[in-house]
């Protein structure tokens, strides 16, 4: 069983690459960002709460994010493995994910970080914002806030997974298919 975390700054391509990786390794893709956006579309209580944070580019509180993630994993008890896309994003989320997986006799196999320069990320996100209607992609100050949230709350996870010998970096710049090939090689060489 392969349980992967796709890691990286906002816009680094976690969602894009998850689509390729899930097909090749037959994994269930869980994107906390997509789950929140679905809740917003359906006007659920969770969506209303998440919206107030996401529109500013802030992280949604750990408590609700973790509950939502656990419920999603529990829906797929027969899975070959999971891709966690955009989760965990804080040390608390990472610690609880490890504990939760251990109750299912599972563990994280590896964390793959997509490395992309911030200036390039700003261009990608602003570009997406033109079509997607995503409020968090349309404003440079919100994008900057997302980077700050990443630097303050998410980047400590690099050492968290390095300490477990589970952290691998992949160059996230270039053609989408080339990047997938780099990810596949990293998985195949280290799993
Ligand atoms: P997410 O939905 O996770 O999204 P993301 O970080 O913006 O993007 P991702 O890295 O997946 O990039 P993508 O492939 O889409 O988070 C949104 C918000 O949800 C967060 O800010 C937070 O508020 C909340 N949230 C989510 N998870 C949370 C958690 N665990 N805890 C708390 N809050 C949470 O690619 C971006 C763009 O680049 C696309 O337009 C794509 O087409 C383009 N692109 C991709 N690869 C490219 C390439 N190689 N070259 C050129 N363009 C490329």
């Amino acid at each position: 069983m392969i349980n992967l975390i796709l890691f990286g700054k906002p816009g680094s391509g976690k969602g894009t690459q998850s689509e390729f990786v899930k097909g090749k390794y037959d994994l269930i893709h869980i994107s906390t960002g997509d789950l929140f956006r679905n809740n917003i579309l359906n006007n659920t209580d969770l969506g209303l709460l998440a919206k107030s944070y996401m529109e500013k580019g802030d992280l949604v509180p750990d408590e609700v994010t973790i509950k939502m993630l656990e419920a999603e994993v529990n829906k797929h008890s027969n899975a070959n493995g999971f891709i966690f896309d955009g989760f965990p994003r804080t040390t608390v989320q990472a610690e609880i994910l490890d504990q939760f997986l251990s109750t299912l006799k599972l563990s994280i196999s590896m964390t793959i970080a997509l490395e992309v320069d911030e200036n390039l990320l700003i261009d990608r996100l602003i570009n997406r914002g033109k079509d997607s209607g995503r409020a968090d992609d349309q404003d440079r100050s919100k994008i900057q806030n997302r980077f700050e949230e990443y630097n303050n709350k998410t980047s400590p996870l690099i050492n968290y997974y390095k300490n477990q010998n589970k952290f691998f970096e992949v160059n996230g710049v270039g053609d989408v298919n080339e990047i997938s090939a780099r990810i596949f090689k990293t998985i195949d060489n280290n799993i």
Side-chain angles (χ1 to χ4, degrees):
M1 190 162 183
I2 306 179
N3 296 307
L4 292 177
I5 294 171
L6 270 189
F7 189 85
K9 290 186 178 176
S12 56
K14 303 180 291 288
T16 304
Q17 293 300 329
S18 290
E19 290 302 314
F20 295 92
V21 176
K22 83 170 178 194
K24 179 156 164 87
Y25 298 96
D26 190 20
L27 305 176
I28 300 290
H29 172 207
I30 300 183
S31 158
T32 40
D34 286 349
L35 290 170
F36 285 134
R37 282 185 287 277
N38 283 338
N39 274 282
I40 292 171
L41 267 180
N42 293 315
N43 280 318
T44 66
D45 289 344
L46 175 59
L48 276 178
L49 175 77
K51 191 175 178 189
S52 62
Y53 292 92
M54 289 170 78
E55 283 193 342
K56 289 183 270 178
D58 290 342
L59 292 183
V60 180
D62 284 337
E63 201 181 272
V64 284
T65 307
I66 288 163
K67 265 196 206 149
M68 180 180 75
L69 185 282
E70 292 185 353
E72 205 55 31
V73 170
N74 285 333
K75 282 184 198 163
H76 300 281
S77 55
N78 293 324
N80 281 329
F82 294 92
I83 305 174
F84 298 105
D85 158 13
F87 185 95
R89 265 175 152 105
T90 64
T91 304
V92 170
Q93 290 181 14
E95 288 171 349
I96 294 184
L97 178 63
D98 278 346
Q99 286 163 22
F100 170 63
L101 290 179
S102 77
T103 65
L104 302 173
K105 304 210 176 346
L106 303 176
S107 61
I108 292 300
S109 316
M110 59 200 299
T111 296
I112 298 186
L114 293 167
E115 291 298 319
V116 184
D117 181 80
E118 276 189 14
N119 288 326
L120 202 53
L121 292 176
I122 294 172
D123 291 345
R124 282 188 190 179
L125 294 172
I126 293 277
N127 250 336
R128 179 171 66 185
K130 287 177 193 159
D131 300 325
S132 70
R134 272 179 63 169
D136 58 344
D137 283 347
Q138 289 174 11
D139 178 319
R140 276 173 195 271
S141 68
K142 288 177 188 166
I143 293 175
Q144 204 53 50
N145 186 43
R146 289 161 69 190
F147 290 150
E148 276 168 31
E149 287 280 82
Y150 172 89
N151 290 329
N152 293 331
K153 298 178 184 168
T154 308
S155 68
L157 295 183
I158 296 172
N159 277 334
Y160 182 89
Y161 289 108
K162 275 187 178 168
N163 289 337
Q164 299 184 18
N165 295 319
K166 290 180 178 172
F167 190 80
F168 298 87
E169 284 175 335
V170 165
N171 178 0
V173 181
D175 178 78
V176 166
N177 292 308
E178 276 172 28
I179 298 167
S180 306
R182 290 175 202 149
I183 294 175
F184 297 162
K185 199 169 159 193
T186 305
I187 295 172
D188 295 340
N189 288 345
N190 295 288
I191 207 76

